[in-house]
């Protein structure tokens, strides 16, 4: 829709969208609303899977611990999810332990975490609900696998861009 001879941009913060960088501002707004929709989806999917007491970070960590059936240390989980504040990961793990979705085994000074039978079953049920509710809708978007692979690679590259920018901002 033209506004004063210009196409109106879809951004959340016009003051950050200069004429040169408005496309990035549009992407940031898109990432914001996708993140919030994704977060809401994860919580509702978990609830439909019978694990409704979990928050977004708890769900991400449960799936990460379950990933490939390998035990993981707290630092491995934080690294994989790009989380700097490991205390938030520790808090989520404690919650998952209390709910008996994960188990921990101490080796030396480190604790390795794995999903329990209950945790694996919860992840499988989450996958079933995901398949039923989300993947059918994806087919309607008419997006092929190659486009999704390219989008995933772009998002991972952008995370590196934001990581570098964070380091630069911390040095100011």
């Amino acid at each position: 829709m033209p506004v004063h001879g210009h196409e109106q941009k879809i951004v959340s913060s016009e003051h950050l969208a200069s004429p040169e960088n408005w496309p990035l501002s549009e992407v940031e707004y898109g990432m914001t609303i996708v993140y919030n929709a994704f977060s809401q989806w994860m919580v509702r999917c978990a609830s439909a899977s019978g694990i409704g007491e979990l928050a977004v970070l708890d769900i991400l960590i449960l799936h990460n611990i379950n990933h490939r059936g390998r035990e993981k240390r707290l630092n491995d989980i934080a690294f994989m999810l790009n989380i700097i504040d490991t205390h938030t990961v520790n808090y989520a793990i404690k919650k998952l332990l209390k709910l008996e979705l994960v188990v921990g085994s101490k080796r030396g000074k480190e604790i390795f975490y794995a999903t329990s039978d209950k945790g694996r079953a919860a992840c499988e049920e989450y996958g079933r609900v995901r398949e039923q509710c989300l993947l059918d809708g994806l087919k309607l978007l008419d997006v092929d696998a190659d486009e999704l692979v390219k989008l995933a690679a772009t998002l991972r590259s952008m995370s590196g861009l934001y990581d570098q920018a964070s380091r630069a901002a911390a040095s100011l």
Side-chain angles (χ1 to χ4, degrees):
M1 164 188 265
V3 174
H4 305 295
H6 297 93
E7 182 180 320
Q8 185 157 356
K9 312 303 184 218
I10 301 173
V11 298
S12 65
S13 303
E14 181 197 24
H15 61 280
L16 300 177
S18 68
E20 310 82 53
N21 74 21
W22 66 263
L24 180 59
S25 293
E26 282 195 311
V27 168
E28 289 173 339
Y29 180 55
M31 288 190 306
T32 299
I33 60 176
V34 165
Y35 172 77
N36 288 322
F38 181 58
S39 297
Q40 182 179 36
W41 153 250
M42 284 189 295
V43 169
R44 298 221 173 156
C45 185
S47 182
S49 304
I51 48 173
E53 56 275 320
L54 299 183
V56 171
L57 186 58
D58 306 331
I59 297 163
L60 290 170
I61 290 172
L62 175 63
H63 287 297
N64 183 268
I65 291 173
N66 192 59
H67 179 60
R68 299 190 182 182
R70 295 185 194 143
E71 293 180 315
K72 294 168 188 76
R73 300 171 303 154
L74 182 143
N75 285 337
D76 298 328
I77 297 163
F79 178 74
M80 286 300 299
L81 296 174
N82 199 20
I83 298 171
I84 294 171
D85 298 325
T86 57
H87 70 279
T88 61
V89 175
N90 190 45
Y91 181 79
I93 290 172
K94 285 182 180 182
K95 185 175 180 180
L96 295 170
L97 287 164
K98 185 176 181 182
L99 293 170
E100 299 178 346
L101 295 169
V102 301
V103 294
S105 60
K106 192 166 185 169
R107 289 192 217 131
K109 294 182 178 183
E110 300 204 88
I111 301 174
F112 288 77
Y113 299 98
T115 45
S116 63
D117 290 342
K118 181 179 176 182
R120 281 188 297 281
C123 288
E124 288 173 17
E125 182 61 13
Y126 184 102
R128 190 194 65 72
V129 172
R130 180 177 181 266
E131 194 80 27
Q132 178 184 347
C133 297
L134 183 66
L135 298 183
D136 286 345
L138 180 62
K139 293 172 190 168
L140 298 174
L141 291 179
D142 194 32
V143 177
D144 68 25
D146 289 339
E147 289 175 286
L148 289 176
V149 168
K150 184 176 179 184
L151 175 59
T154 300
L155 290 172
R156 286 190 305 270
S157 295
M158 290 194 71
S159 79
L161 173 71
Y162 283 99
D163 284 342
Q164 180 57 42
S166 293
R167 283 188 288 281
S171 71
L172 296 178

